[in-house]
């Protein structure tokens, strides 16, 4: 604006140079000496970035049958996996804290045999995935800074198990400590904050 003889009038400013014109691509009037930032009022260098307020668990699984990573899922917008195709590996992260997770490999049955049935080492955040390619899993455990619940879908049983809470995580508690039933392969996982 111009506060001269004409009162208040509009102007257009080139934001890269600070040059002021009577209209876009019009006659240049002058340049603004201090344009862009309110330096007397705001210290732009020390502004904290906004922090998320809602927890988002992002997770994905390796689909054994199709041999691909399925797309990331956030919270309960969907589930990770494909019914009928075993889950081999899992990635998990949370925007508001750390997560640690592990999987238990399925040893197989009368028709399908795998080298071992064991808990694999825990993984933190998305630093790595939990699991081994071409080795289906039958249990999943999640520990999190943010309270959450999670569950798995059994491929052979074709149903979802009850949710398990991260606060109850315990490798030795087969009822409430992890999601899954040792000996029953998993084909989907769902995670959401409490």
């Amino acid at each position: 604006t111009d506060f001269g003889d004409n009162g208040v009038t509009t102007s257009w400013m080139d934001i890269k140079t600070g040059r002021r014109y009577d209209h876009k691509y019009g006659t240049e009037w002058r340049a603004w000496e201090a344009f862009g930032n309110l330096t007397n009022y705001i210290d732009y260098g020390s502004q904290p970035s906004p922090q998320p307020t809602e927890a988002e668990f992002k997770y994905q699984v390796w689909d054994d049958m199709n041999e691909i990573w399925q797309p990331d899922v956030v919270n309960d917008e969907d589930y990770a996996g494909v019914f009928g195709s075993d889950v081999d590996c899992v990635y998990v992260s949370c925007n508001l804290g750390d997560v640690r997770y592990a999987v238990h490999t399925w040893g197989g049955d009368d028709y399908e045999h795998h080298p071992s049935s064991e808990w694999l080492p825990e993984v933190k955040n998305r630093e790595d995935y939990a699991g081994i390619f071409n080795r289906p899993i039958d249990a999943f455990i999640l520990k999190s800074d943010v309270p959450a619940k999670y569950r798995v879908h059994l491929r052979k049983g074709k149903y979802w198990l009850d949710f398990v809470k991260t606060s109850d995580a315990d490798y030795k508690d087969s009822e409430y400590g992890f999601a899954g039933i040792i000996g029953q392969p998993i084909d989907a996982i769902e995670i959401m904050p409490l």
Side-chain angles (χ1 to χ4, degrees), residues 71-177:
D72 278 322
V73 175
V74 176
N75 295 341
D76 59 344
E77 69 182 17
D78 201 355
Y79 57 85
V82 175
F83 291 158
S85 180
D86 294 329
V87 169
D88 291 351
C89 305
V90 181
Y91 269 121
V92 183
S93 62
C94 180
N95 64 335
L96 293 180
D98 290 327
V99 293
R100 291 162 309 286
Y101 52 99
V103 299
H104 187 275
T105 56
W106 178 49
D109 56 19
D110 293 341
Y111 307 102
E112 199 173 340
H113 302 285
H114 298 283
S116 65
S117 176
E118 63 185 333
W119 282 105
L120 298 178
E122 281 186 9
V123 176
K124 182 179 176 185
N125 300 323
R126 289 180 85 106
E127 293 172 1
D128 200 356
Y129 56 85
I132 301 172
F133 293 115
N134 300 315
R135 295 275 302 280
I137 65 171
D138 55 12
F140 171 70
I141 191 167
L142 178 66
K143 301 172 184 178
S144 173
D145 292 344
V146 174
K149 62 182 182 178
Y150 58 101
R151 65 181 180 166
V152 298
H153 187 268
L154 301 180
R155 174 175 58 88
K156 292 185 173 199
K158 298 180 180 165
Y159 63 91
W160 287 99
L161 294 177
D162 290 336
F163 280 100
V164 175
K165 294 179 182 176
T166 53
S167 59
D168 296 330
D170 183 348
Y171 290 97
K172 295 178 183 177
D173 183 352
S174 62
E175 190 169 352
Y176 302 109

